[in-house]
Amino acid sequence: MVTAILRATVLAVLAGSVLLIASETFRGSTGSAEPTVMLPEEVARYKQAAKDMFYHSYDSYMAHAFPKDELAPISCSGHDTHNCRGCLLTFYDALDTLAVLGNRTEFQRVVNWLANHGAASFDREVTVSVFETNIRVLGSLISNHLLASDPTLNLMPGYNNELLTLAVDIGDRLLKAYQTVTGLPYGSVNLKTGINFGETAVSATATGGTVLLEFILLSKISGDKKYAKAADKATRKLWESRSPLVLL
């Protein structure tokens, strides 16, 4: 998956930089613990390596896989995942990295594209993973809304809450999975019709617990408390269901 490769390569380069900095910092010319300083050109070189890794993955996805979920690196072709079935996962995954790297032009282009076409990818009769769609799509929309709306960053002049509108849209669709007697969610939900007849009740603890972050933030920035209430109910039920060994 190009998303996994993208994250792994950037993290690996950054981790390598940290290890090198640490080793150079605590190793003197005689092998002692006397601190030394990493040269500015070395820092710049590792920063550039991280950027190069990211853009190699991102540009390849855009050239060979968009608008599919991910790029298969060996066949160099796009495919949709069974978890989200065509929700543009890599597009969402990469957006905040564009902001971190200071690429305002591409950040703005992606936000504008999502503002015009993003809703169509939600209004489909496909069954998706509640967990994956929450952490990758809803999480991306919320975090990038906060970035785009921050005037001190000046990433998106003229931004009019387009990502927040999409976040509310997908949040409402995911919320249907939490409308159960216990409050614990179904593991999958149909984006168009909600919970279909015969949908398995098997779910994961992560589906009921990790939603706290996204749903509480969505309530905070949208002003609608229903998301936070659903997340709170699910989490409390998880805690009530713990074993005598405090296992779930």
Side-chain angles (χ1 to χ4, degrees), residues 2-207:
V2 72
T3 302
I5 292 174
L6 182 155
R7 291 184 182 278
T9 51
V10 171
L11 289 174
V13 171
L14 293 176
S17 300
V18 171
L19 289 173
L20 180 59
I21 292 171
S23 65
E24 292 298 326
T25 298
F26 295 104
R27 187 188 67 218
S29 58
T30 61
S32 68
E34 297 178 5
T36 58
V37 179
M38 195 174 188
L39 297 175
E41 54 266 31
E42 291 180 293
V43 175
R45 177 161 57 89
Y46 282 101
K47 284 183 176 179
Q48 188 58 50
K51 287 183 179 181
D52 291 344
M53 287 287 189
F54 170 78
Y55 283 114
H56 172 72
S57 296
Y58 179 74
D59 292 344
S60 296
Y61 166 75
M62 293 303 299
H64 304 291
F66 179 80
K68 298 290 187 179
D69 282 339
E70 297 175 339
L71 172 66
I74 296 178
S75 65
C76 202
S77 60
H79 67 95
D80 289 330
T81 65
H82 70 279
N83 287 324
C84 290
R85 302 183 186 278
C87 291
L88 306 156
L89 288 182
T90 298
F91 214 37
Y92 284 106
D93 283 341
L95 186 51
D96 57 352
T97 306
L98 293 170
V100 170
L101 295 180
N103 191 338
R104 289 178 172 82
T105 301
E106 185 64 4
F107 181 85
Q108 292 168 10
R109 188 188 74 81
V110 174
V111 170
N112 286 327
W113 192 97
L114 289 173
N116 292 318
H117 305 285
S121 68
F122 300 156
D123 192 28
R124 298 177 299 126
E125 194 164 337
V126 293
T127 298
V128 301
S129 163
V130 174
F131 172 75
E132 289 288 340
T133 307
N134 172 64
I135 65 171
R136 299 179 71 176
V137 179
L138 179 57
S140 174
L141 288 168
I142 292 172
S143 60
N144 285 292
H145 162 71
L146 295 174
L147 291 169
S149 59
D150 187 338
T152 65
L153 298 176
N154 195 32
L155 283 169
M156 195 78 193
Y159 177 70
N160 193 32
N161 295 331
E162 292 89 349
L163 298 182
L164 176 56
T165 299
L166 289 171
V168 169
D169 185 351
I170 193 64
D172 286 344
R173 297 172 192 272
L174 294 177
L175 194 61
K176 295 175 182 177
Y178 290 79
Q179 295 170 350
T180 64
V181 175
T182 63
L184 292 174
Y186 284 89
S188 301
V189 66
N190 188 289
L191 290 179
K192 198 175 189 71
T193 60
I195 302 301
N196 290 333
F197 178 78
E199 179 63 53
T200 177
V202 175
S203 187
T205 54
T207 311

Side-chain angles (χ1 to χ4, degrees), residues 207-218:
T207 311
T210 59
V211 75
L212 269 175
L213 175 62
E214 290 83 4
F215 272 27
I216 289 177
L217 269 175
L218 185 56

